[in-house]
Amino acid sequence: MLKYIAYFGVGVFIGILAAMFGLGGGFLIVPTLNFLGVEIHHAVGTSSAAVVFTSLSAAIAYHRQRRIHYKAGLLLASTAVIGAYIGAWATSYISSSQLKVIFGVVLFLVAIRLYRKKSREPHEVDLSQVKLDYKIVPLGGFIAGIASGLLGIGGGAINVPFLTYMGLPIHYAVATSSFAIVFTATSGAIKHYTLGNVEVEWLVLLVPGLIIGAQLGAKIAKRTKASQLTKAFAVVMAFLAIRMILKGLGYPVP
């Protein structure tokens, strides 16, 4: 009984962070499952499936807050689902070590830039007036999709800084990322399931906590100042980047 309560608690914790930062949660689910003894390819596959539920729960919460930029989210998703499928397929043929190092270095540099960036509070922004270059948005989605399918990280580590760079305020970038990840993770999860990489029993243990945690995370994000949310996201992304680099170099980090 205590084991199931512990797994539920882990799911809630991951769900909160996933929704707060629009990351999907894979960056925590993968190492958690791997630490508990799940083989890495199965951990990535199970994470992709779990992220579907986490991001869907967060997206529902952010829909109620009216913070999802649906056009940008759908454009991201349109290419992300293709990228996620390709990334998931590639796990059967290539080692992700070098890619982890490259992604990690890029993410770390982006985290530094994001940490220094000044953010406007959401009440100062009329979402309908935000101008985005819709021709470039699908490119970010495709890159995020590949990262999602290959590394099981959900794609939010690419989506959020990309959207903020395009001019979307951090709160809306997080919300839109959560929405886009629903489609990205679903594409990757379907491919991983056909490859036999999804451990259903672990999915059942984690999903209830992830769903509840995502609802809580969206509420916490709403009450957090944009500057604080941006800096917190940058710190989390830097941690993710360092961990990814170390794993890519072969260090036994959880």
Side-chain angles (χ1 to χ4, degrees), residues 17 26-27 36 48 55 80 113 146 152 163 174 187 191 196 201 204 213 236:
L17 292 181
F27 75 106
L36 292 172
S48 293
S55 54
R113 183 183 183 282
I146 291 178
L163 289 171
V174 167
S187 175
K191 183 58 180 176
E201 58 270 28
V204 172
V236 170

Side-chain angles (χ1 to χ4, degrees), residues 13-28 54 58 174 178 214:
F13 176 71
I14 294 174
I16 289 174
L17 292 181
M20 276 191 69
F21 303 122
L23 292 172
F27 75 106
L28 285 174
T54 311
V174 167
S178 295

Side-chain angles (χ1 to χ4, degrees), residues 135-254:
K135 295 180 180 179
I136 299 177
V137 173
L139 176 61
F142 184 69
I143 296 172
I146 291 178
S148 173
L150 185 59
L151 304 176
I153 62 172
I158 306 295
N159 287 338
V160 176
F162 176 73
L163 289 171
T164 55
Y165 175 77
M166 295 287 291
L168 202 60
I170 183 68
H171 286 81
Y172 296 99
V174 167
T176 304
S177 174
S178 295
F179 171 69
I181 288 173
V182 174
F183 302 94
T184 312
T186 299
S187 175
I190 290 172
K191 183 58 180 176
H192 277 296
Y193 184 79
T194 62
L195 294 171
N197 290 341
V198 178
E199 299 279 357
V200 178
E201 58 270 28
W202 283 103
L203 203 58
V204 172
L205 288 173
L206 289 173
V207 164
L210 290 171
I211 292 174
I212 294 173
Q215 293 291 314
L216 295 173
K219 290 181 180 180
I220 294 171
K222 182 181 180 180
R223 298 173 183 174
T224 305
K225 290 183 178 180
S227 58
Q228 295 174 339
L229 188 62
T230 301
K231 284 181 168 53
F233 176 82
V235 170
V236 170
M237 193 162 66
F239 169 80
L240 171 62
I242 293 172
R243 177 185 169 276
M244 196 177 294
I245 292 170
L246 291 175
K247 286 188 73 68
L249 292 174
Y251 289 94
V253 294

Side-chain angles (χ1 to χ4, degrees), residues 48-63:
S48 293
V51 165
V52 174
F53 297 93
T54 311
S55 54
L56 180 60
S57 177
I60 291 171
Y62 284 123
H63 169 74

